[in-house]
Each structure stands twice: as C-alpha cells, then as structure tokens.
Amino acid sequence: MGSEEYKGSDWGKSLPVPSVQELVRNDPRLLPQRYIQLHTDRPVAPDMAMTPSSSDIPILDFALLAKGDQDETRKLDLACKEWGFFQIINHGVPEEVLLKMKAAIAEFFELPLEEKNKYVQAGNDFQGYGQGYVASEEQKLDWCDVLFLITLPHEIRNLKYWADTIPSFKDAIERYSKEAQKVAEEICANISLLMGMDKDGLQRSYGNTKQAMRMNYYPPCSRPDLVLGINRHSDPDIITLLLQDDEIPGLQIKHKDEWIPVKPIRNAIVVNVGDVMEVLVQFNSIDVLGLNLVYHSVLFVQILSNGMYKSIEHRAITDESKARLSLATFMFPYDELEIGPMECAVDDHRPRMYGNMKYLDYLRYTLGRKMEGKAHLDNTLKIKSSSS
Ligand SMILES: O=C(O)CCC(=O)C(=O)O
Ligand SMILES: [Fe+2]
C-alpha cells in the first residue's frame, strides 16, 4: 500500500479555532460563549469531588497478566465487561520514558504561539496543532488545545507536524510509542485468550494497526463548572492507552449513568476499550466455551459479537488554577478493514447488533462530527432495533 494513502489527510478535518491557552494568557477570566456548555453537559459540583466509586475502577498488574496469571486475566475480562476502563501498573514502561514523554508535551505547549503555529493543522488534515471534532461554527468548544500525530508505522508519519524546535521531542515519542505498542498488543493478546483463541487471534483479525497520539493541554479555567476540557465521547479505535497528569485529576467515565473520576495513580497507564473493540471483539457467554468463532480474511473480519465489551463514554473536566496535560495513544485498524458481526453468529437467539462498514468510513464519520457520547457508533454500525 502506498504511503500516500496513509498520511491521514483523508481522515477528515476539523475547523480552525483559537488557542485556548492563548485566550487564558490574554485574559484568565474571559469565558467566550462558545465554551460554555449546555446545562445538561456541565460538570455539576458532585462530579468534581473524588467519589468513593473512583477507587472501584479496576487496577490490573500488567506483569501478572503478561505471565498468564489466571486471576489477573479474569480481572481483565471483568474490567472490559463492567467498566470498559482500567488502570495498569507494573506495565514495564520505564519511568524515564514516561517522564520524558510528558516533559516533551509540556515543552511543546510552553512554546510561543508563533512557534507552535509552525505545526498547525493544514486545512485538509486532522494531524497537527489545533483542535479535533470541530464541525460547525455554532458548536460548543472544548477548553483544550491539541497536538495530534500519527506515530506508527514509521512510513506514514508526517514529520512536518513533529516539533523539531524541541530537540528531544522525536526521541521521546519514538521511545514511548514503541513501549505503548507493546503494552497494547499484550492486552489484545490477553483478550484473544479470553475469547478462546490463541494469543494472536485478535491481531490476525484486525491485521496491521496504526498508532496515533493526541496530546491534550487543558489550560486552567476560571469557571470549571461551566466548561469541559474534552466533551463526552468514546474513542473510535481498538484500544486507547492514556497517560494522565499524576497530580491533577480530570478524566471522568460514564458508569451506570454517573460520571466517575479516574483517580490518577503515579506512573500508571489508563486503558480503555474503543468502538472497534466493541464491534469486533465482543462475545456472549456461549462463546467462552472455547470455540474459536472468529473468522478472518484479508479485508473482511466477521466476529461473533453480542455486546459484552463496551467502549465507554468519557470526558475531561478542567482545573481552576492549574493546567493539565494528558496523552491518549490510539490503536487504529487499517483503513480498508471491514468491521461487523459474523453471519453464522446471528440467529434467532443472537440478533445481529452491528452492520458492516469499512473502517475508514467509520473514522471519517466520527472525526467529521462533534463528539457526542456514543452517538457515532449508534448512528452507523449499531442496528437500531437491537435491545442493548
Ligand atoms: O485528558 C483526558 O483525560 C482524556 C483524553 C481523551 O479522552 C482523548 O484524548 O481521547
Ligand atoms: Fe478519549
């Protein structure tokens, strides 16, 4: 496949918006109307406190998982089913790699605006410095500036967006990107085992992957009760690894209709199930009998699916006095992959929950619209009459 096809420029684009960081620098109390969320979306006061439930979000020991520890594998299954989110510790990514990655992001956002603007999203591109998911001049905006880069495979990188002003920037990404890929692949390997396949089963199904990074900078906000750092959404990928600030909380996940904060754990990585995982890698209890019902061909994956692993809505709130940084590392399937449930898995007892769709079409659909919880999956692949 030619590298041109992989540049990401056909993934869609986002309308240009002002830098929030600059807005705050010029007047920390100014809050333009476009950032004030509708009442229903505002983070109400109880959300801002650490509720006891945040400590229920599963914490997995990655080293045990990689060793095939049965209890840890069961915890992974439960985490994907009950929460769609979990944190991993003992993940083996050296602390130095994490610190350098976070420092590189901080250094990027500290650059003067003129310098950052050298890496601004081109008119037809999703990559670069700017914001994502802005589809209209009317929609509410996130209190956030973003640098979005496709990081793997190497040949599809568009280095014009890589901040070469910062000498350590490329190296920091290089090292973290490699480690993050290993961790994501190991988690997928364990999910394959949970599906009754061998470790490579899932990977054979989704084929080659692409990795992209979304570096988020959330400036402090004088009215954190009125704005959102990033609006509620699910990630349109297979799996996401998130590095969040060790000190400043912000991430919240929707669990049983409540917004639960994900309490930062030093050096931990937050993992979440993406939309593609929900469509591709779900199974009902009948499948756990060890049957390998996942069938794959070069461009067509047919998966038995009945809605067990869910990509969960999440969002980030802002802090009144401190800026917060986070890094989401996405694992995407390749553009041509056709996703959908397998015909032989659909019968009177197991109604089809998803249609089929080329992944690129799904990605373009979702990236070309404002974030809206799980509406994008519901409006495309999800079959409306489905009960869940
Ligand atoms: O900053 C966060 O905690 C969440 C970021 C996120 O969800 C994303 O970039 O997709
Ligand atoms: Fe996300």
Side-chain angles (χ1 to χ4, degrees), residues 230 233 235 314 330:
I230 184 168
H233 67 284
D235 293 340
H314 53 286
F330 305 104

Side-chain angles (χ1 to χ4, degrees), residues 85 133 144 146 148 213-218 229-231 233-236 240 242-245 249-252 262 270 272 314-317 324-330 371:
F85 260 86
Y133 301 92
C144 179
V146 171
F148 187 89
M213 291 187 184
R214 185 181 145 121
M215 303 171 194
N216 300 304
Y217 178 89
Y218 306 100
I230 184 168
N231 214 325
H233 67 284
S234 60
D235 293 340
T240 308
L242 184 88
L243 281 188
Q244 61 165 341
D245 195 291
L251 175 63
Q252 298 184 335
V262 181
V270 180
N272 65 281
H314 53 286
R315 67 182 188 185
I317 58 166
R324 173 175 176 265
L325 291 168
S326 74
L327 169 65
T329 303
F330 305 104
M371 286 181 276

